[in-house]
């Protein structure tokens, strides 16, 4: 018996609805970034195709090379096929007329190195020797050593003055299985793992980092060249990025990083400043180990060469079976590991507020901060927004939350460790509330007012003071402003786009549901009159007007001159940017003009990758 046409259509309708529902649920869930749910999971993980190749870079240190080869050969590979590729750089050109004896000596050194490598037995896989015809230096040795064959092809890069623990390969393989092939522990933000002992904070000009004794594994943005495992996809991305920047003559300058000093001194003899600049622009991280008593699975003897004028000796102590006093193989879930930026500040990834009840946990991540900064990124472009974020970091502000209805942009910001409020999802989770006076939810500005007013209410109820500022304001110093009279509950500059709210019993009595309805009523009334300027079409203007109408509110009106200086004024120059001031501009000013004016004042802090050109570390 065939089903009736009507029944079949009903069944198809139900199935279609279910598919749409599941897709919608999955989509909205994926927008909340976490270590187990991310927008770019490894697309084709297949541990059966796993392959790792050792890329050994050498030049003219035969004794170092012999020691390194012996340690690699003595490691436990568990029967795996592991290829060894040795890259021998050529000696530098010598004019025979001026140094025939030196030329003969260099030729003999090269022969001895090649004889050592040729005679070295490697039973674990293919041994390939690449002997260059001319000297290319350390940068090219690294950059030209590898182009991944697939997403399952890994490289472990070793310089010749390293010594590896017999346990190194087994540990690397466990890391790859855990944090690359295990989808619940995979993150596209991880570009590899370093086996060297972490020693200094590159973003603080070499200050030593500190970790507690219980931390054996963590994530840190800094690349580690003394035994670095590279994941295939980020490395390919970097090489293409490098090609573009190199071709355009862009230098890997990142102010605030000790590596920038290295580059200015050695130039393209080293490659790490390029990779660090790339990592900073993408917000990527590296896995590191931390073992007590200065132990590591890879140690550098810091022999004389490009990085050291004379041999400095081993930087750490080699970890082996006899020195293990902990469970080396206990790899925690990725969500339990701590993440640190170049300044070695702990980074909290994935702080996205989609529902009001999620706001409290995000606020608690600011630890002891009692004043929060709510930054509106509505109606601006990403490059302006990113420049503002750079300025917030420059003055040492970290307790800010970014609010917008651009979900894709917010995901990217959350992956970089910023706290964000996705207004679009927030509205979807609550729905319209006609009792608050927001009947016309088709108006984007009214949606914005409704979300911000309720976010303010929630933050004040949780006991936090609050600054609210729009994207057209740049703080030049911290604190944002000195309040004229701390006894007041509200301070507002409605024509600028700035307001301060104090969490107090009196302010909590003001900012209630009925007041939010009044804000909505003011907004609809003003918008309906068609008599207000573009500067007045914003949440803070409507909220200030509602406070004024209420009458019995302790509100301090801040005039424009007390806030700072306006961008575009003829008399504006660098000397006018007083350390106590802020810089602001009209929302109606073209974004191209804003960028041009900021560049003229040296207030444009992002580069072509839309990332900060400096690392702002504050002790």
């Amino acid at each position: 018996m065939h089903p009736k046409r009507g029944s079949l259509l009903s069944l198809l309708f139900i199935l279609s609805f279910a598919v749409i529902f599941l897709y919608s649920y999955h989509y909205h869930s994926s927008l909340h970034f976490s270590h187990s749910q991310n927008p770019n999971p490894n697309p084709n993980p297949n541990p059966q195709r796993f392959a790792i190749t050792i890329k050994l870079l050498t030049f003219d240190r035969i004794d170092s090379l012999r020691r390194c080869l012996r340690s690699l050969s003595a490691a436990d590979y568990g029967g795996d096929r592991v290829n060894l590729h040795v890259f021998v750089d050529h000696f530098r050109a010598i004019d025979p007329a001026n140094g025939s004896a030196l030329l003969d000596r260099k030729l003999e050194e090269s022969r001895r190195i090649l004889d050592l490598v040729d005679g070295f037995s490697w039973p674990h896989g293919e041994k390939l020797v690449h002997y260059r015809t001319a000297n290319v230096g350390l940068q090219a040795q690294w950059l030209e050593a590898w182009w991944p064959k697939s997403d399952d092809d890994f490289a472990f890069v070793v310089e010749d003055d390293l010594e590896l623990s017999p346990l190194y390969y087994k540990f690397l393989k466990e890391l790859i299985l855990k944090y690359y092939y295990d989808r619940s522990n995979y993150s596209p933000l991880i570009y590899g793992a370093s086996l060297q002992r972490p020693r200094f904070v590159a973003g603080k000009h070499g200050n030593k980092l500190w970790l507690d004794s219980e931390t054996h594994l963590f994530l840190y943005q800094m690349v580690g060249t003394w035994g670095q495992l590279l994941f295939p996809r980020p490395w390919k991305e970097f090489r293409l990025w490098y090609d573009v920047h190199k071709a355009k003559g862009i230098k890997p300058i990142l102010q605030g990083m000790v590596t920038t000093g290295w580059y200015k001194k050695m130039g393209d003899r080293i490659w790490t400043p390029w990779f660090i600049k790339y990592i900073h622009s993408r917000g990527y991280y590296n896995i590191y180990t931390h073992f007590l008593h200065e132990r590591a699975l890879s140690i550098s003897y810091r022999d004389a060469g490009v990085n050291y004028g004379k041999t400095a000796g081993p930087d750490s102590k080699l970890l082996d079976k006899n020195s293990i006093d902990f469970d080396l193989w206990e790899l925690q879930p990725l969500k339990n590991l701590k993440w640190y930026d170049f300044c070695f500040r702990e980074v909290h990834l994935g702080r996205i507020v989609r529902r009001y009840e999620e706001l409290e946990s995000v606020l608690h991540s600011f630890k002891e901060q009692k004043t929060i900064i709510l930054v509106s990124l509505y109606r601006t472009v990403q490059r302006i927004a990113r420049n503002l974020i750079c300025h917030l970091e420059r003055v040492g502000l970290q307790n800010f939350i970014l609010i917008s209805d651009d979900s894709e942009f917010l995901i990217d910001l959350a992956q970089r460790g910023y706290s964000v409020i996705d207004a679009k999802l927030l509205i979807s989770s609550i729905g319209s509330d006609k009792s608050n006076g927001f009947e016309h939810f088709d108006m984007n500005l009214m949606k914005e007012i409704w979300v911000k007013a309720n976010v303010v209410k929630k933050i004040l109820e949780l006991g936090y003071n609050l600054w609210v500022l729009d994207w057209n304001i740049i703080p030049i110093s911290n604190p944002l402003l000195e309040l004229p009279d701390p006894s007041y509950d509200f301070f507002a500059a409605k024509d600028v786009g700035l307001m301060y709210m104090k969490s107090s019993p009196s302010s909590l009595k003001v900012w209630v549901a009925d007041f939010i309805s009044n804000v909505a009523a003011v907004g609809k009334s003003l918008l309906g009159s068609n008599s207000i300027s573009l500067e007045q079409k914003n949440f803070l203007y409507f909220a200030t007007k509602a406070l004024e109408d209420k009458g019995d509110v302790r509100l301090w009106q801040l005039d424009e001159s007390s806030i700072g200086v306006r961008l575009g004024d003829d008399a504006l120059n660098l000397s006018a940017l007083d350390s106590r001031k802020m810089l602001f501009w009209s929302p109606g000013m073209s974004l191209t003009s804003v960028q041009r004016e900021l560049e003229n004042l040296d207030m444009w802090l992002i580069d072509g990758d839309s990332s900060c050109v400096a690392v702002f570390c504050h002790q």
Side-chain angles (χ1 to χ4, degrees):
M1 178 181 293
H2 297 287
K4 293 182 179 179
R5 183 176 180 86
S7 300
L8 181 59
L9 290 175
S10 299
L11 178 60
L12 289 174
F13 176 81
I14 293 172
L15 290 174
S16 300
F17 179 82
V19 169
I20 293 171
F21 172 80
L22 290 173
Y23 172 80
S24 176
Y25 174 81
H26 172 74
Y27 171 76
H28 288 292
S29 297
S30 67
L31 292 179
H32 178 55
F33 177 81
S34 68
H35 305 304
S36 61
Q37 293 174 321
N38 58 74
N40 296 302
N42 186 2
N44 298 301
N46 187 348
Q48 300 301 317
R49 296 196 300 260
F50 161 74
I52 186 169
T53 302
I54 302 168
K55 303 288 184 174
L56 173 55
L57 314 181
T58 189
F59 178 36
D60 61 355
R61 301 184 290 199
I62 189 168
D63 293 333
S64 301
L65 176 60
R66 184 179 290 110
R67 179 181 57 217
C68 184
L69 286 170
R70 286 174 178 170
S71 70
L72 288 171
S73 180
D76 179 8
Y77 295 96
D80 289 356
R81 178 179 175 82
V82 179
N83 297 327
L84 172 66
H85 294 179
V86 184
F87 292 81
V88 183
D89 199 6
H90 200 278
F91 59 83
R92 297 181 183 91
I94 298 173
D95 186 351
N98 298 325
S100 58
L102 177 60
L103 176 60
D104 290 341
R105 187 164 65 251
K106 289 297 181 181
L107 287 168
E108 178 59 26
E109 286 178 356
S110 294
R111 291 191 190 100
R112 291 176 60 214
I113 289 174
L114 292 170
D115 287 344
L116 170 63
V117 177
D118 286 344
F120 179 73
S121 176
W122 184 256
H124 309 292
E126 172 194 57
K127 183 185 73 173
L128 180 150
V129 180
H130 188 292
Y131 179 43
R132 296 187 180 276
T133 59
N135 179 263
V136 297
L138 189 58
Q139 182 185 114
Q141 282 276 76
W142 270 86
L143 299 186
E144 297 175 11
W146 182 52
W147 183 262
K149 294 180 291 186
S150 71
D151 288 348
D152 301 289
D153 182 29
F154 300 82
F156 181 58
V157 187
V158 179
E159 296 180 7
D160 58 15
D161 64 342
L162 301 187
E163 183 177 7
L164 285 304
S165 165
L167 305 171
Y168 94 88
Y169 174 79
K170 183 180 177 182
F171 185 79
L172 283 181
K173 184 176 181 181
E174 292 298 318
L175 276 182
I176 293 170
L177 293 175
K178 179 79 171 184
Y179 301 117
Y180 188 84
Y181 286 113
D182 183 349
R183 295 180 70 85
S184 65
N185 288 291
Y186 170 80
S187 169
L189 302 181
I190 299 176
Y191 63 83
S194 175
L195 295 187
Q196 76 177 69
R197 179 171 65 91
R199 301 172 65 241
F200 73 102
V201 180
K204 289 183 179 177
H205 298 285
N207 290 3
K208 291 184 178 180
L209 58 80
W210 181 88
L211 288 160
D212 62 71
S213 60
E214 302 302 316
T215 299
H216 295 311
L217 212 61
F218 64 98
L219 292 109
Y220 178 32
Q221 289 195 280
M222 186 65 182
V223 62
T225 58
W226 297 342
Q228 176 68 50
L229 173 72
L230 295 169
F231 288 178
R233 294 174 69 86
W235 182 256
K236 280 187 175 181
E237 185 182 289
F238 161 65
R239 285 290 281 106
L240 296 173
W241 176 94
Y242 170 85
D243 288 346
V244 171
H245 286 68
K246 188 76 171 179
K248 293 182 177 180
I250 302 172
K251 301 297 184 182
I253 302 300
L254 196 57
Q255 300 299 338
M257 293 286 290
V258 66
T259 51
T260 295
W262 300 350
Y263 180 77
K264 291 180 178 179
K265 180 180 180 181
M266 293 185 280
D268 284 339
R269 294 172 62 195
I270 56 177
W271 73 284
T272 46
W274 289 98
F275 195 67
I276 289 167
K277 177 77 170 179
Y278 157 77
I279 293 165
H280 184 257
S281 70
R282 297 297 190 269
Y284 286 172
Y285 291 81
N286 201 17
I287 299 174
Y288 271 87
T289 60
H290 173 244
F291 309 133
L292 296 180
H293 312 303
E294 299 185 347
R295 294 173 295 176
L297 292 166
S298 172
I299 66 172
S300 171
Y301 281 78
R302 298 180 289 182
D303 292 332
V306 173
N307 296 314
Y308 292 91
K310 60 181 181 179
T311 299
D315 73 298
S316 306
K317 302 171 185 177
L318 204 62
L319 184 72
D320 57 25
K321 292 180 180 179
N322 298 325
S323 61
I324 294 179
D325 52 6
F326 61 95
D327 188 353
L328 177 64
W329 315 109
E330 182 185 7
L331 304 180
Q332 296 184 32
L334 188 60
K335 64 181 180 180
N336 293 344
L337 301 184
K338 292 185 177 180
W339 302 59
Y340 297 92
D341 64 10
F342 281 117
C343 299
F344 215 69
R345 296 176 300 216
E346 186 174 355
V347 176
H348 301 276
L349 303 183
R351 292 180 295 181
I352 301 182
V353 176
R354 302 169 301 165
R355 297 184 298 271
Y356 284 110
E357 56 267 27
E358 294 174 343
L359 188 58
E360 183 172 6
S361 63
V362 171
L363 294 176
H364 285 169
S365 69
F366 293 119
K367 297 180 179 179
E368 298 180 358
Q369 296 283 355
K370 294 304 295 181
T371 300
I372 304 299
I373 305 166
L374 180 65
V375 182
S376 173
L377 301 183
Y378 279 86
R379 295 181 302 283
T380 187
V381 294
Q382 291 191 16
R383 66 180 186 275
I384 298 291
R386 292 186 191 277
N387 188 64
L388 169 59
I389 293 170
C390 290
H391 279 283
L392 293 172
E393 294 183 327
R394 181 182 63 85
V395 298
L397 295 172
Q398 299 182 46
N399 53 320
F400 57 87
I401 303 179
L402 307 164
I403 184 169
S404 174
D405 57 358
D406 185 345
S407 297
E408 184 176 348
F409 182 36
L410 291 174
I411 289 173
D412 178 75
L413 293 174
Q415 288 180 348
R416 296 171 186 271
Y418 300 113
S419 299
V420 302
I421 298 175
D422 191 322
K424 186 180 296 183
L425 294 182
L426 201 64
I427 289 177
S428 299
S429 70
I430 301 296
S432 61
D433 186 350
K434 294 184 178 180
S435 65
N436 274 350
F438 289 86
E439 296 87 354
H440 303 290
F441 256 47
D442 57 324
M443 298 176 62
N444 289 331
L445 182 56
M446 298 307 295
K447 292 180 182 180
E448 177 186 341
I449 295 170
W450 182 80
V451 169
K452 289 181 178 178
N454 280 280
V455 167
V456 168
K457 179 175 179 290
K458 186 70 172 179
I459 292 176
L460 294 177
E461 289 174 348
L462 291 171
Y464 293 89
N465 304 322
L466 179 65
W467 280 100
V468 181
L469 58 95
D470 280 340
W471 58 270
N472 61 314
I473 298 178
I474 290 179
I476 301 174
S477 63
N478 181 26
L480 292 175
L481 284 176
E482 294 183 7
L483 300 176
D485 187 343
S487 67
Y488 277 69
D489 292 320
F490 300 96
F491 296 82
K494 62 183 178 182
D495 292 323
V496 174
L498 180 71
M499 179 180 282
Y500 174 83
M501 304 119 172
K502 182 171 64 177
S503 179
S504 65
S506 53
S507 65
L508 289 174
K509 290 180 180 179
V510 172
W511 210 284
V512 294
D514 287 344
F515 176 74
I516 295 175
S517 298
N518 293 339
V519 175
V522 168
K524 286 191 291 184
S525 174
L526 292 174
L527 291 172
S529 68
N530 293 320
S531 61
I532 62 173
S533 63
L534 185 60
E535 285 86 347
Q536 297 168 333
K537 291 182 179 180
N538 66 75
F539 160 71
L540 292 178
Y541 187 90
F542 300 154
T544 305
K545 288 289 292 181
L547 289 171
E548 292 173 348
D549 293 344
K550 191 169 179 60
D552 56 345
V553 178
R554 293 183 60 79
L555 169 66
W556 188 293
Q557 294 275 12
L558 298 167
D559 60 66
E560 184 174 300
S561 61
S562 68
I563 300 299
V565 289
R566 181 179 287 272
L567 190 67
D569 288 351
D570 294 337
L572 180 59
N573 53 48
L574 289 175
S575 62
L577 301 180
D578 190 283
S579 61
R580 297 168 296 171
K581 303 291 186 178
M582 306 178 74
L583 183 66
F584 59 91
W585 58 90
S586 167
M589 189 175 182
S590 75
L591 298 178
T592 302
S593 298
V594 170
Q595 179 172 338
R596 183 175 60 251
E597 293 287 342
L598 292 175
E599 288 173 344
N600 291 337
L601 292 169
D602 292 330
M603 298 289 285
W604 189 254
L605 301 183
I606 63 173
D607 57 16
D609 292 305
S610 292
S611 62
C612 299
V613 295
V615 176
F616 303 113
C617 298
H618 300 272
Q619 300 287 353

